[in-house]
Amino acid sequence: MQIMHSAKERLRRAIRDIQDFPRAGVVFKDITPIIEDGQLFRLAVTVFGDLYKRKSIEQIVAIDARGFLFGSALAYVLGTGISVVRKKGKLPYKTIAASYDLEYGTNTVEMHTDSIIPGQRVLIIDDVLATGGTATAAVTLVRQLGGQVVEAAFLMELSFLHGREKLAPVPCYSIINYQTP
Ligand code: AMP
């Protein structure tokens, strides 16, 4: 428990706040100091791995683009494959799409139609859970392809944006929680 606490603290201390990026009023949580440091990157993946090796995960679904970093390392640890949720227009084969509202306008994400085996037990992963719009769209796509979403995992959660409630009843796990902006 103590080890877990200090692991979280080390990761939290490495995350860099960038004010007003990508636009005024947003505090961007920059995870590059974690992935650039071999020990910290391994620590983050180990925390996820220790949790999910007991949950019979059969496939990782990772969200464009920073979800790919943690998702692929975790898939390697768990011995699963990795399916990708990409921004519209990036995937070459047949796709299904889901759109969600942003503060201004909408966003669309896509998956390949054959990227999930029906019945597969899926873990969705991304770096940040903010409003939950992106992860909810990922849940919609996985279910449309017949997958079973076991849980959604994030390096960090901005809990003041209530993404967890939007994702419910899909269980959420985050290593680090920010309760205020
Ligand atoms: P949302 O759909 O609002 O939950 O936003 C989640 C997606 O946007 C994730 O793919 C994140 O990488 C990115 N994101 C949202 N807010 C932030 C933030 N404050 N810092 C870094 N990334 C963010």
Side-chain angles (χ1 to χ4, degrees):
M1 201 59 208
Q2 193 55 42
I3 293 167
M4 183 70 169
H5 180 74
S6 69
K8 288 183 180 189
E9 264 320 299
R10 284 177 64 196
L11 293 169
R12 182 191 282 270
R13 277 200 298 270
I15 292 165
R16 182 161 58 188
D17 280 2
I18 310 288
Q19 305 293 331
D20 299 317
F21 183 88
R23 57 176 192 280
V26 175
V27 181
F28 188 85
K29 300 290 186 189
D30 179 18
I31 53 98
T32 59
I34 293 179
I35 58 168
E36 287 164 3
D37 180 303
Q39 285 188 2
L40 290 178
F41 186 41
R42 177 173 279 181
L43 192 57
V45 175
T46 302
V47 172
F48 285 133
D50 286 349
L51 179 63
Y52 290 110
K53 68 187 177 203
R54 293 188 294 273
K55 295 203 175 184
S56 306
I57 301 300
E58 294 173 317
Q59 188 75 350
I60 299 287
V61 166
I63 296 178
D64 199 345
R66 289 176 297 277
F68 298 167
L69 301 165
F70 298 98
S72 56
L74 181 59
Y76 180 83
V77 168
L78 297 180
T80 69
I82 174 164
S83 303
V84 295
V85 173
R86 296 220 61 186
K87 287 163 191 149
K88 188 178 164 61
K90 298 284 186 188
L91 288 170
Y93 182 60
K94 282 179 266 177
T95 57
I96 55 166
S99 297
Y100 55 96
D101 290 330
L102 299 173
E103 201 181 351
Y104 302 101
T106 61
N107 218 5
T108 301
V109 288
E110 297 179 331
M111 288 182 81
H112 274 158
T113 51
D114 62 353
S115 59
I116 298 291
I117 298 168
Q120 223 167 19
R121 288 172 58 82
V122 163
L123 174 72
I124 292 172
I125 187 161
D126 201 357
D127 64 333
V128 177
L129 174 63
T131 65
T134 315
T136 302
V139 170
T140 303
L141 292 176
V142 169
R143 287 188 175 153
Q144 226 172 304
L145 296 175
Q148 200 185 324
V149 181
V150 175
E151 199 158 312
F154 306 88
L155 185 69
M156 79 193 90
E157 170 179 5
L158 312 181
S159 60
F160 54 92
L161 295 175
H162 307 292
R164 183 179 283 268
E165 284 107 276
K166 184 176 273 179
L167 269 172
V170 173
C172 272
Y173 170 76
S174 57
I175 299 179
I176 299 157
N177 186 6
Y178 291 91
Q179 291 175 339
T180 53

